[in-house]
Amino acid sequence: MTPALLLAHGAGGTVRANFSPLIPRLSRKRKVHAVDFPGSGTTPRATGPLELDDLADLLVAAAEGEDRFAVVGYSMGCAVAVRAARRHPERVTALVLTAGFARIDDETRERMRQWRRLVDGDRAELARFLLSIALGEPFRRRLTAEQTEGFLELIAITVPPGTPEHVDLVQRIDLREELPALSVPTLVIGAKHDRLIAPGTTRELADLIPGARWAELDSGHSPAVEAPAEWARLIEEFLDTVPAR
């Protein structure tokens, strides 16, 4: 029986925002499960700092009734996926990690600090900042003024209330010591035009995981918007190669 699939979204995102274009295709062969992390979607905001172990267990709990499952992580969700595999090795059959990191670099850390400062301020300014880091430059150049304005309006009204806690967690994540012990089949996908998580940072993530495969999307940090079909294809083709266990 084909293992189910769990989806782990990114900081300041939701399952819908980060994965919705992929879910119909991924659901053809597998049951797909997901949960919004605290402060996203309908999940209540945390009352204190988020911890990676708690998010990993929350994610795994979303697969109630499933003995085994693969996990697709995006951005911050990559770290959640890795920790889920470490905490539940008997249940996780494979990992697909997109636009992720073992630890953010100094440039990304400064962008995270700027993001955190803007969250409590003017939403239009926050939306402009997020658009500048979310979309790759080639994709942005193809947008009309009307499309750009539409993106800005959407971003401004959909910022999850839990974003500050998400951004704080991203700055504390450091997986470098645990990744060499990861033994689950893994595909790491970089985003060629990523302006938030540098492609080299995602490549470092792949290099630290024994036997990890590497692929790259011609997109920025928003593959669900810029390259959903190609992203879904990479995920499916990799999972089809993972032997049942």
Side-chain angles (χ1 to χ4, degrees):
M1 184 175 179
T2 303
L5 187 61
L6 275 177
L7 306 178
H9 70 77
T14 63
V15 174
R16 181 177 179 181
N18 294 162
F19 293 110
S20 61
L22 282 68
I23 292 173
R25 177 167 173 175
L26 296 178
S27 298
R28 293 174 190 169
K29 293 183 180 179
R30 301 166 175 85
K31 290 184 179 179
V32 176
H33 303 273
V35 63
D36 287 315
F37 296 134
S40 288
T42 60
T43 305
R45 187 174 180 180
T47 57
L50 298 177
E51 298 298 337
L52 206 52
D53 284 356
D54 294 337
L55 296 190
D57 291 347
L58 179 66
L59 179 69
V60 170
E64 183 179 1
E66 306 287 356
D67 292 331
R68 298 174 303 128
F69 42 81
V71 187
V72 174
Y74 162 70
S75 196
M76 178 188 76
C78 294
V80 180
V82 167
R83 188 59 59 84
R86 295 279 289 153
R87 290 174 66 81
H88 305 273
E90 74 287 352
R91 300 184 68 189
V92 178
T93 61
L95 296 175
V96 180
L97 310 176
T98 302
F101 53 90
R103 181 176 182 271
I104 58 173
D105 60 17
D106 290 341
E107 186 174 353
T108 298
R109 190 172 302 278
E110 180 52 41
R111 285 176 175 157
M112 287 291 168
R113 289 170 179 159
Q114 186 177 358
W115 189 354
R116 178 64 187 89
R117 289 193 298 268
L118 292 172
V119 165
D120 297 325
D122 179 69
R123 280 300 168 92
E125 184 180 2
L126 173 62
R128 287 192 295 271
F129 168 74
L130 291 176
L131 188 68
S132 75
I133 62 173
L135 299 178
E137 190 59 33
F139 186 85
R140 285 186 65 197
R141 284 199 302 265
R142 294 194 296 269
L143 295 177
T144 65
E146 185 177 6
Q147 288 171 326
T148 298
E149 189 60 33
F151 272 116
L152 289 171
E153 291 178 2
L154 180 63
I155 291 170
I157 64 174
T158 57
V159 176
T163 296
E165 291 80 45
H166 299 178
V167 172
D168 169 70
L169 176 60
V170 167
Q171 296 181 75
R172 290 185 282 115
I173 289 171
D174 189 342
L175 303 177
R176 292 174 296 176
E177 290 189 3
E178 65 188 86
L179 288 172
L182 199 64
S183 59
V184 63
T186 302
L187 170 66
V188 179
I189 304 175
K192 185 177 180 181
H193 306 291
D194 201 325
R195 297 166 64 87
L196 179 59
I197 306 298
T201 298
T202 303
R203 182 73 214 212
E204 178 190 29
L205 173 66
D207 291 343
L208 288 169
I209 300 173
R213 301 186 197 178
W214 171 258
E216 196 169 51
L217 287 167
D218 189 23
S219 80
H221 196 69
S222 299
V225 174
E226 301 177 58
E230 179 65 8
W231 190 17
R233 183 187 68 80
L234 289 175
I235 293 169
E236 282 196 311
E237 289 184 355
F238 172 70
L239 293 180
D240 285 346
T241 70
V242 176
R245 61 182 182 124

